Amino acid sequence: MSRKNDSKPSRALRGRAGRMQGGRGSGRASTGAVRLWGRHAVEAALKNPDRRHRKLWATREGVASLDGELPSDFPVEWASPTDLARLVARDAPHQGLVLECDALEDVFLEDVLDGDPARPLVVLDQVTDPHNVGAIMRSAAAFDACAIVTQDRHAPPESGTVAKSASGALEVVPWVRVVNLSRALEEIAEAGYWRIGLDGDGPATLGDALPAGPVALVLGAEGDGMRHNIQQHCDALARLPISSAIESLNVSNAAAIALYAIAVRETAE
């Protein structure tokens, strides 16, 4: 099934599925699985050939809202909105759809370093809020970033909250999780990227600091910002030219503005 008045052709929903163990209402995903909810997150996961799906709980209205048709043998359990609410985080907007699936396969840094000057790389230092990571991933997809990179110990796990905030971008933006972020930044530099750390006290504005070549945008957590060692691994520190009426921006908002600035820079050249 497809959306009305949509000029884009719909893609078939995919179904490499196996029935999970356990019943409805547990509130927890099976071992090694994640639960995704909300139409955009679930629809994107169903269309992702790299996802292994286990089971879909849904209302009939929720399935009808999907852009595409489920395979006839896809394991679906019809449920009421109240039943679905027991499967997700408290007050999560499931929109009649909850999908249990395997986590995505690991992505390695060398697999995403293509050096395309039009495609920035986003590096997050200790950004731990899943809503922020998901929102940044959504902006990364919107502005064609090649990947986001986080340190495994200081980033949220793949989850329904990240996926809902990413609004489908979790399925299309590679997420590289590394052990040592400083070493990763060294590899990024070796691949030809100019590493710009976003800092409210940066000596130059982002527009003035942008080079013509590939850019790795480095952002730190709200409040603490980037760690000193991460700043030392940046080629430049830059600030957004915001009004003195406000001290700072939410990290996901700052990421979106910076990615737009990079996209405009590349478009203009």
Side-chain angles (χ1 to χ4, degrees):
M1 76 195 54
S2 60
R3 299 193 193 104
K4 296 179 181 179
N5 302 321
D6 191 346
S7 60
K8 295 181 180 179
S10 62
R11 294 178 293 170
L13 299 175
R14 299 173 183 269
R16 289 192 301 161
R19 291 195 175 274
M20 57 165 258
Q21 300 296 316
R24 185 176 58 208
S26 67
R28 293 192 298 271
S30 303
T31 303
V34 294
R35 278 189 188 160
L36 311 181
W37 57 80
R39 183 173 65 84
H40 291 299
V42 169
E43 184 176 280
L46 289 170
K47 290 180 176 179
N48 184 359
D50 295 325
R51 274 285 186 193
R52 185 172 182 85
H53 313 116
R54 298 192 181 193
K55 185 172 182 177
L56 177 68
W57 291 270
T59 63
R60 296 187 184 278
E61 293 80 8
V63 169
S65 73
L66 293 171
D67 179 25
E69 295 184 357
L70 292 168
S72 60
D73 62 344
F74 198 93
V76 179
E77 182 170 332
W78 302 111
S80 70
T82 302
D83 290 331
L84 296 179
R86 299 190 185 103
L87 295 171
V88 299
R90 185 171 183 176
D91 298 325
H94 56 70
Q95 297 177 296
L97 296 161
V98 180
L99 176 69
E100 184 156 296
C101 51
D102 288 355
L104 291 168
E105 295 288 335
D106 291 338
V107 180
F108 299 99
L109 187 58
E110 58 267 25
D111 296 333
V112 301
L113 295 178
D114 60 7
D116 183 347
R119 304 191 70 199
L121 182 65
V122 180
V123 181
L124 305 180
D125 180 32
Q126 296 192 317
V127 178
T128 57
D129 187 318
H131 297 91
N132 279 334
V133 172
I136 291 169
M137 193 172 289
R138 184 175 185 177
S139 295
F143 294 108
D144 201 28
C146 62
I148 70 165
V149 180
T150 64
Q151 188 172 6
D152 193 42
R153 289 185 300 125
H154 300 293
E158 184 181 334
S159 69
T161 301
V162 171
K164 185 70 173 68
S165 299
S167 193
L170 177 62
E171 308 300 325
V172 297
V173 177
W175 184 357
V176 180
R177 306 178 73 99
V178 299
V179 174
N180 189 317
L181 197 59
S182 297
R183 176 56 192 149
L185 284 166
E186 292 172 2
E187 293 180 26
I188 289 167
E190 291 167 4
Y193 286 79
W194 186 254
R195 304 161 298 179
I196 299 180
L198 214 57
D199 189 310
D201 296 321
T205 63
L206 178 62
D208 291 335
L210 286 173
V215 173
L217 181 66
V218 187
L219 300 107
E222 290 184 58
D224 294 336
M226 288 177 289
R227 290 171 292 172
H228 179 70
N229 188 44
I230 299 303
Q231 289 187 354
Q232 295 295 104
H233 280 80
C234 291
D235 299 298
L237 297 178
R239 67 183 188 278
L240 296 177
I242 64 174
S243 166
S244 59
I246 191 75
E247 181 180 354
S248 63
L249 291 172
N250 172 280
V251 64
S252 62
N253 292 334
I257 293 168
L259 286 168
Y260 170 76
I262 295 170
V264 170
R265 179 264 341 219
E266 294 297 346
T267 301
E269 294 183 351

